[in-house]
Amino acid sequence: MYYFIVNKTSGNGKGYQSWLKVEEILKNMEIDFLVEFTEYVGHAKEIAEKQSFFQDAMAIVVIGGDGTIHEVVNALVLKDVPLAVIPAGTGNDYARSLHIPFNVEEALERVFKGIPTWIDTPKVDKEYFISIAGMGFDGKVAEVTNQSKSKNILNKIGLGNLVYIINIFKVLFTYQPTGVKITIDGKEIDFHDVWLIAIANLPYYGGGLKICPDARADDEKFDICIVSGISRWELLLVFPRVFRGSHITHRHVSMFKGETVLLAPNSNMILQCDGEIMVKEELFFSIEKKSLKIL
């Protein structure tokens, strides 16, 4: 039995269109399945937590974007049932990082033929995420993007990935960097004029920005990118390099690896995890090693 969790509204309706294709294939192949559709924020996690979803499950298959995957992951950590994904969101960075096809038929074939494997699951405070936690400038960009009216318009014409990039330029000239004390595996480092901190389990966020190109979900470590002490105009010039991941050699970019990260900013910094805005009392990041079973 395959269990599907479908966010019909993800990608401005792409989730539902993808499901219709999947449903037709499942029926033609006479494959047993159950499906539930999300109706509100947090519903995907509630569905995945149902005990019935773990009985004889070949896989729990998410059809949606990174936000929906984020919710389901928080229900599946340390459970012996694999997660599979058919990407249908705006950014689809989880799928991009793990080379999951964006084509519905090809992604579904991977569900049937994929080999289960265990990957690490990062968490902040007590909440798990799957790809990247970003603080500061990118957190603000994610907040503006989630509130953007142009997101749906660009999704309709297949240019949803541009939303994040457009909002980078909107935020660039108003954002104020701040000082941050960061502790990685017990070692404290002070940074001044911090623009962003990305704590990554996978390479991509923001719809294809390769912020931590060497990040892997099975190496039991975070990749950490810190951009600090840079002017707005220089940041604007460096930004295109993020698409290739070559920004990591820039003099104002610092890269680290570690198993635990504690952040103490001098002023409030917006936190996003997998593109979703989070409010956390404690900014302590750790890794649950080999804790999520995926296809």
Side-chain angles (χ1 to χ4, degrees):
M1 180 73 73
Y2 290 89
Y3 293 81
F4 289 82
I5 299 176
V6 180
N7 184 341
K8 293 190 290 186
T9 63
S10 66
N12 197 37
K14 185 179 178 182
Y16 185 60
Q17 295 302 317
S18 297
W19 165 246
L20 293 178
K21 293 180 183 179
V22 168
E23 183 182 35
E24 182 180 5
I25 294 170
L26 294 173
K27 288 180 177 178
N28 288 339
M29 295 178 66
E30 298 183 345
I31 291 175
D32 291 333
F33 68 91
L34 289 176
V35 59
E36 291 205 41
F37 301 99
T38 63
E39 298 177 1
Y40 47 82
V41 175
H43 194 199
K45 181 174 184 286
E46 293 175 12
I47 295 170
E49 285 176 334
K50 292 181 181 179
Q51 189 63 37
S52 60
F53 257 62
F54 300 107
Q55 295 174 358
D56 303 320
M58 294 292 292
I60 292 181
V61 187
V62 175
I63 300 181
D66 291 337
T68 309
I69 298 168
H70 174 97
E71 291 186 20
V72 174
V73 163
N74 272 274
L76 294 190
V77 173
L78 300 176
K79 301 289 197 311
D80 191 22
V81 57
L83 167 71
V85 169
I86 295 175
T90 300
N92 298 315
D93 289 304
Y94 172 83
R96 181 177 287 105
S97 295
L98 294 179
H99 309 293
I100 297 172
F102 284 15
N103 176 275
V104 173
E105 291 82 1
E106 292 176 5
L108 184 59
E109 184 178 5
R110 177 163 167 157
V111 173
F112 297 144
K113 296 182 178 180
I115 299 172
T117 186
W118 291 88
I119 64 171
D120 309 323
T121 319
K123 63 180 177 179
V124 53
D125 196 2
K126 295 180 181 179
E127 178 148 6
Y128 294 98
F129 57 101
I130 189 62
S131 297
I132 295 177
M135 288 193 62
F137 177 71
D138 53 340
K140 183 63 178 177
V141 172
E143 181 182 58
V144 172
T145 298
N146 290 347
Q147 298 169 352
S148 174
K149 294 180 180 179
S150 63
K151 184 176 181 179
N152 289 339
I153 296 172
L154 289 171
N155 273 331
K156 285 181 180 178
I157 60 175
L159 297 175
N161 288 3
L162 290 179
V163 179
Y164 193 89
I165 297 170
I166 291 170
N167 288 316
I168 282 175
F169 292 96
K170 284 185 179 180
V171 175
L172 179 65
F173 296 102
T174 58
Y175 184 78
Q176 297 298 320
T178 188
V180 180
K181 178 179 287 185
I182 181 168
T183 305
I184 302 172
D185 292 346
K187 181 180 178 180
E188 288 186 2
I189 311 171
D190 284 313
F191 285 91
H192 302 284
D193 297 324
V194 173
W195 279 86
L196 69 86
I197 300 172
I199 301 172
N201 190 47
L202 292 170
Y204 291 98
Y205 75 164
L209 301 178
K210 204 172 187 180
I211 191 69
C212 290
D214 297 325
R216 291 181 51 179
D218 59 358
D219 64 356
E220 302 184 352
K221 292 182 182 294
F222 289 114
D223 279 51
I224 304 141
C225 177
I226 303 169
V227 180
S228 62
I230 191 171
S231 70
R232 297 179 198 276
W233 293 110
E234 191 171 5
L235 181 62
L236 188 61
L237 293 174
V238 172
F239 169 70
R241 295 173 58 178
V242 181
F243 288 99
R244 304 186 306 273
S246 64
H247 63 288
I248 62 175
T249 61
H250 192 273
R251 60 194 178 96
H252 289 295
V253 177
S254 302
M255 301 296 299
F256 302 91
K257 284 184 179 287
E259 294 183 19
T260 61
V261 182
L262 177 65
L263 300 179
N266 292 346
S267 59
N268 289 335
M269 299 178 77
I270 296 173
L271 169 69
Q272 66 85 13
C273 292
D274 301 331
E276 303 298 309
I277 304 303
M278 300 287 155
V279 178
K280 295 296 174 187
E281 295 180 0
E282 186 177 41
L283 295 172
F284 178 71
F285 299 82
S286 58
I287 295 176
E288 195 81 59
K289 301 174 182 178
K290 303 295 185 289
S291 56
L292 182 67
K293 195 175 187 180
I294 68 166
L295 289 176

